[in-house]
């Protein structure tokens, strides 16, 4: 409730008496509730009364005093009005503001009219009405109207109104800005004129359809602007109906969607572009929606997957295209992609027409501009050929070609697997089997007879093993058998069965051949829990049988274990070898086959043991790994070899072997960096040779370490390829600069079909991966010719040179080419006999 102006000279009480029209009570109500008060000015005596009625008179105050109640800015105006009213005797209305003494300013409306009386005596009656609230509301209204007008003016959407027949009645003011003024014409006419002729028929048809059916309108068309260019507009309208449901109006909007259309067009262009890239790619590119349903596949992909009718398979879950056993892997990859990760794997799956294929497939997320995962991208490629080679290599690498039995590596894998399966209180027996008189047969009857005998032995042992045992051929006439037994004693029966079956005569080339066998037995877990120790223990037991004239079996006993004792002594000696300067490095040349030029040297470690003489690194490196000395020794080799390599011409590379154990201890990166720093050797001249086992345990740390080394310019070679797991996945896990074919395959060339196949496959693999291939252990011209014919890049072996002492290597490096004369066969034989190569 607003407080009206308080009559001058008065408090809350009104000194108003008598009122024929309104009681003073009523007046107070008027004042308090409606904010109305009644005043009277008598110009004659210049007194102002606050009155209840035209006649009653209270105590007056001079007008100057009364005016003090009025806002100073409004005072003179109010006074002028009143004076003018008094002079003319007219009536009227004005507004004024109260004096802000109490803090708030009120807006008041005064209605004045002449009272009764003559001339100077004629008073002026004034009814004052507090209109503060009303004014405020009005102002707010005006502001909101203003806002509305602005909103309409600024809104990119132009409102329009049409009658039920579709005649345009009104269009928002922005129409003029876009299309120019209608200049007297009807809006409908104006609009029709500016419609693009190509769009007009469609738009008119749509509009007519809406008018006829009452369906909302939504059309896009080009409109000629005032600048004489066409822009895209979108018109939408909905009908307004009366109570009976009859359409009385169409309420429409018109929006400028030109930029939007242009963006769309640009997008389509870029889509077109992307699509052309997709189609020219040779890999299969599939796009899945965020839920993993196939929504796009490029042309090459359709060809690769032999898909004739994409529409038929579109929108089906991607995993449903794969064989059941592969589906979980696909689903996992999709789930990972949905989490933002990329998963890559090699999986088997037939094409749409059922052709068997191996795929290298990666599934990764595609994000929209706002970062949401909108689509999934499935790539790549038919790796069946590479996979076939891999499987071939894996098979060849795991099996003995002569007998078809597992080779040593595969046999060890089986021991590992059996150990993992072993239940508590259960035992497992490993039998090491040696034929007693095999050499005799081989020498007297010839190799083919020897081979036949070995095959027959294999067959009999396989029968012996039955469905539960596992047989392997570990080398020459060494066989082994693995058997799970409840009690160690049970293995006696197996050993007896082996001896009995091999004691029966063999018929070889029509002749009866009698051989015997010796068997050594090791029991897991009692004698060891890893293949090497178990096999070694079984061998120790076997030697004991042989020493006791053979044809029997023995269990391993710890007392037999002189070999193990020897290892312990060697470990102790090795720990002193460095400080005693018993370790040194020799260098074996690596030769480019095509040009016969020296590419570099491989550093090979040597140990000159004071009592045992030259000890092979093959024997002491494993000891160094077990005892943890490998880091120190590895650092020594790197230092020594890098320092030496600085005496060679810049073009000559240095290859250094790294043990997997050096990666496990994590010191390797620092060790390498230190060696390079101290010697000043450029990283690009250094090549590190590692074996697959570095990558074996999926060690991301080892891969990270390798990648860091690689990034610094160091080259990385994969050593001994073909002997290990020989899995393609290792080759893919790291971009090797070189693959080295293990010398065991090379040494079998050119006689062995199997080795030839492996060597050929590895060279093929290198070619397809664009990785150089080096053959180790090349000893003969025949081997070199064959490797050369297969396209092998590089060779290393006694045919060219044994590993050389530093001084000789330095002299050879200076000439930069190898003496044209490779080693003579006698030299090779001598080198082999000596066991060391320096
Ligand atoms: P590797 O890396 O495969 O080295 C090649 C081996 O083949 C060397 O044996 C070399 O002397 C021998 N060799 C070279 N050409 C021929 C040939 O024409 N015929 C024959 N029969 N053999 C040939 P080495 O020096 O006894 O080394 C054996 C293994 O010891 C090496 O195999 C390597 O794995 C390891 N090794 C050697 N030096 C080091 C080292 O400094 N650090 C580490 N971690 N391992 C080393
Ligand atoms: Ca090597
Ligand atoms: Ca090797």
């Amino acid at each position: 409730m607003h407080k009206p102006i308080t009559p001058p000279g008065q408090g809350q009480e009104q000194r108003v008496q008598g009122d024929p029209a309104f009681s003073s009570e009523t007046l107070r109500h008027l004042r308090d509730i409606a904010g109305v008060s009644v005043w009277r000015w008598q110009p004659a005596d210049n007194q102002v009364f606050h009155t209840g009625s035209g006649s009653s008179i209270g105590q007056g105050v001079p007008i100057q005093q009364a005016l003090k109640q009025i806002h100073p800015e409004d005072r003179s105006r109010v006074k002028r009005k009143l004076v003018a009213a008094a002079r003319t005797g007219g009536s009227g209305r004005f507004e004024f503001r109260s004096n802000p003494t109490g803090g708030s300013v009120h807006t008041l409306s005064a209605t004045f009219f002449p009272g009764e009386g003559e001339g100077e005596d004629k008073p002026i009656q004034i009814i004052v009405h507090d209109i503060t609230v009303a004014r405020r509301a009005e102002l707010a209204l005006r502001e909101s109207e203003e806002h509305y007008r602005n909103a309409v003016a600024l809104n990119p959407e132009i409102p329009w109104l049409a009658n039920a027949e579709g005649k345009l009645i009104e269009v928002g003011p922005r129409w003029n800005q876009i299309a120019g003024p209608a200049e007297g014409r009807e809006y409908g006419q104006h609009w029709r004129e500016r419609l693009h002729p190509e769009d007009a028929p469609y738009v008119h048809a749509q509009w007519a359809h809406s008018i006829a059916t009452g369906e909302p309108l939504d059309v896009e068309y080009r409109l000629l602007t005032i600048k004489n260019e066409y822009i895209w507009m979108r018109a939408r309208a909905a009908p307004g109906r009366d109570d009976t449901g009859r359409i009385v109006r169409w309420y429409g909007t018109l929006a400028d969607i030109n930029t939007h259309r242009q963006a769309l067009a640009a997008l389509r262009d870029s889509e077109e572009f992307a699509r052309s890239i997709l189609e020219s790619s040779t890999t299969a590119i599939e796009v899945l929606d965020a839920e993993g349903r196939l929504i796009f596949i490029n042309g090459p992909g359709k060809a690769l997957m032999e898909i004739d009718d994409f529409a038929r398979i579109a929108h089906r879950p991607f995993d449903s295209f794969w064989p059941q056993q592969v589906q979980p892997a696909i689903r996992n990859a999709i789930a990972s992609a949905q989490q933002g990760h990329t998963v890559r794997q090699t999986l088997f799956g037939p094409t749409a027409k059922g052709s068997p294929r191996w795929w290298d497939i990666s599934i990764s997320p595609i994000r929209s501009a706002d970062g949401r995962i909108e689509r999934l991208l499935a790539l790549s490629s038919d790796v069946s050929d590479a996979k076939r080679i891999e499987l071939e290599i894996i098979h060849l690498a795991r099996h003995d070609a002569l007998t078809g039995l597992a080779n040593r590596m595969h046999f060890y894998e089986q021991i590992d697997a059996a150990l993992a399966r072993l239940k508590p209180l259960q035992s497992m027996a490993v039998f090491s089997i040696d034929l007693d008189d095999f050499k005799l047969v081989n020498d007297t009857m010839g190799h083919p007879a020897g081979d036949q005998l070995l095959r027959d032995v294999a067959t009999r042992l396989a029968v012996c093993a039955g469905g539960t045992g596992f047989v392997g051929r570990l080398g020459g006439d060494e066989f082994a058998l693995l058997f799970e037994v409840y009690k160690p004693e049970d293995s006696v029966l197996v050993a007896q069965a082996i001896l009995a079956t091999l004691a029966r005569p063999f018929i070889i080339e029509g002749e009866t051949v009698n051989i015997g066998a010796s068997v050594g037995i090791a029991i897991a877990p009692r004698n060891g829990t890893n293949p090497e120790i178990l096999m070694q223990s079984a061998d120790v037991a076997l030697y004991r049988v042989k020493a006791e004239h053979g044809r029997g079996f023995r269990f391993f006993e710890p007392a037999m274990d002189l070999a193990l004792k020897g290892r312990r002594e060697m470990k102790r000696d090795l720990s002193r070898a460095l400080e005693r300067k018993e370790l040194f490095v020799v260098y074996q040349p690596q030769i480019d086959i095509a040009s016969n030029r020296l590419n570099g040297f491989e550093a090979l470690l040597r140990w000159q043991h004071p009592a045992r003489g030259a000890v092979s690194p093959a024997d002491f490196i494993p000891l160094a790994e077990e005892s943890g000395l490998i880091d120190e020794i590895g650092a020594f080799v790197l230092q020594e070899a890098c320092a030496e390599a600085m005496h060679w011409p810049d073009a000559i590379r240095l290859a250094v072997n790294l043990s997997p154990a050096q990666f496990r201890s994590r010191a390797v990166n620092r060790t390498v960096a230190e060696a390079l720093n101290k010697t000043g050797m450029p990283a690009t001249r250094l090549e590190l040779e590692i074996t697959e086992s570095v990558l074996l345990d999926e060690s991301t740390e080892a891969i990270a370490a390798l990648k860091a080394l690689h990034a610094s310019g160091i080259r990385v070679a994969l050593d001994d390829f073909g002997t290990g797991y020989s899995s393609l996945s290792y080759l893919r896990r790291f971009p090797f600069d070189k693959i080295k074919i293990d010398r065991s395959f090379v040494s079998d060339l050119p006689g062995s079909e199997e080795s030839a196949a492996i060597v050929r496959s590895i060279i093929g693999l290198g070619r397809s991966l664009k990785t150089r291939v080096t053959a180790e252990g090349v000893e003969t011209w025949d081997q070199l010719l064959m490797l050369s014919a297969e396209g092998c890049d590089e060779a290393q072996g006694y045919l060219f040179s044994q590993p050389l002492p530093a001084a000789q290597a330095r002299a050879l490096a200076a000439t930069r080419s190898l003496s044209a004369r490779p080693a003579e066969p006698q030299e090779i034989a001598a080198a082999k006999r000596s066991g060391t190569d320096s």
Side-chain angles (χ1 to χ4, degrees), residues 590 602-604 655-657 689-690 719-720 740 776 796:
Q590 299 179 320
E602 176 179 1
L604 294 159
V656 178
N657 292 282
E689 297 193 1
I690 64 156
D719 207 354
D720 301 345
K740 294 187 80 177
E776 309 180 312
Q796 178 180 352

Side-chain angles (χ1 to χ4, degrees), residues 238-273:
R241 299 169 190 270
D242 66 9
D243 295 346
T244 68
R246 201 167 49 92
I247 294 174
V248 287
R249 284 276 185 276
W250 283 90
Y251 297 102
T253 61
L254 191 58
D256 175 354
I257 56 162
N258 206 42
T259 358
H260 176 68
R261 284 290 286 238
Q262 272 167 356
L264 265 186
L267 189 66
R268 248 199 307 276
D269 282 353
S270 75
E271 267 175 9
E272 208 59 45
F273 177 63

